[in-house]
Amino acid sequence: MEPPDPTAGNERLTATTAVLLLVLLAAEGVTILSIRPLLSEHIVIGLLLIPPVVLKLASTGYRLLRYYTGAAEYVAKGPPHILMRLLAPLLVVTTLTVLGTGVAMLALGPRHHRDVLVGLHKTSFVAWFVLMSVHVLVYAPRLPRLVLSGRTLGRRAALVGSSVAAGALLAGATYSLAGPWVHRAHDHERDGVGRYLSVLR
């Protein structure tokens, strides 16, 4: 009986985490379409995303480390396509910038460096969206096969589920920081309705 292929387990964990991230990112995308009334949901989902993103970066980073340190199984597996290797650092940087600026805005509140942080958040999101779109187009067709194959689906699901639980704890522990932003968004929305009604009178 052949020993299990460690590269396959790593690849399946990465794929399973990716499926979760696609679901959460789709939900986050919905909130962007109507950001002011859905700002609370936008913040909660953003916080939920952080541990699964860390898990995926750890999984892909582990593969990278093993490949470049000469682990036989990973060298035999080979590197990703050259285009994806070139895009990967940019995708990591933009991902960390989007999440980092979001956390910074939450921690500092709307009264401190708001314009700079919001600008960085939006700009990095646009760059991230372009890079992520390429990433998804390349790797998404493989996800069903990778997620459903192998005997470790239960363990992978437990690990990915644990990252969601960690995200929920993070969101619960820090959501009070969102109060000033949510109140500001509601005030802007109410002011907008007030101006609209004054025009109708």
Side-chain angles (χ1 to χ4, degrees):
M1 182 176 178
E2 292 185 0
D5 179 5
T7 67
N10 175 268
E11 195 172 21
R12 289 168 188 151
L13 175 60
T14 302
T16 307
T17 310
V19 170
L20 169 66
L21 287 174
L22 286 175
V23 173
L24 291 176
L25 289 169
E28 188 77 322
V30 171
T31 68
I32 293 173
L33 298 176
S34 188
I35 190 65
R36 283 182 179 170
L38 295 178
L39 183 59
S40 295
E41 291 81 0
H42 183 78
I43 293 170
V44 168
I45 296 170
L47 292 167
L48 277 173
L49 276 164
I50 293 176
V53 166
V54 170
L55 177 60
K56 189 169 187 295
L57 290 176
S59 178
T60 54
Y62 178 80
R63 176 186 173 183
L64 183 71
L65 177 65
R66 296 289 286 164
Y67 175 79
Y68 283 109
T69 54
E73 301 91 343
Y74 288 86
V75 172
K77 182 76 173 178
H81 188 276
I82 182 63
L83 175 62
M84 304 313 296
R85 278 188 282 167
L86 293 174
L87 292 182
L90 299 175
L91 182 57
V92 171
V93 169
T94 54
T95 299
L96 295 178
T97 304
V98 171
L99 293 175
T101 52
V103 169
M105 285 191 289
L106 198 61
L108 296 175
R111 296 184 179 181
H112 300 281
H113 310 293
R114 178 178 63 85
D115 292 338
V116 173
L117 288 173
V118 170
L120 284 173
H121 194 62
K122 290 180 178 179
T123 302
S124 58
F125 170 78
V126 171
W128 170 87
F129 183 80
V130 173
L131 295 167
M132 179 56 70
S133 297
V134 176
H135 188 81
V136 170
L137 287 173
V138 171
Y139 289 114
R142 311 178 191 177
L143 292 181
R145 174 181 59 82
L146 289 171
V147 171
L148 298 175
S149 63
R151 301 177 181 179
T152 60
L153 179 57
R155 280 183 287 176
R156 282 181 277 135
L159 186 56
V160 172
S162 297
S163 73
V164 176
L169 288 173
L170 177 63
T174 60
Y175 183 73
S176 60
L177 297 173
W181 285 101
V182 174
H183 294 152
R184 184 176 183 276
H186 288 170
D187 289 343
H188 276 254
E189 192 174 12
R190 186 170 58 249
D191 291 345
V193 172
R195 286 194 295 271
Y196 176 72
L197 291 176
S198 68
V199 171
L200 296 180
R201 287 178 185 144

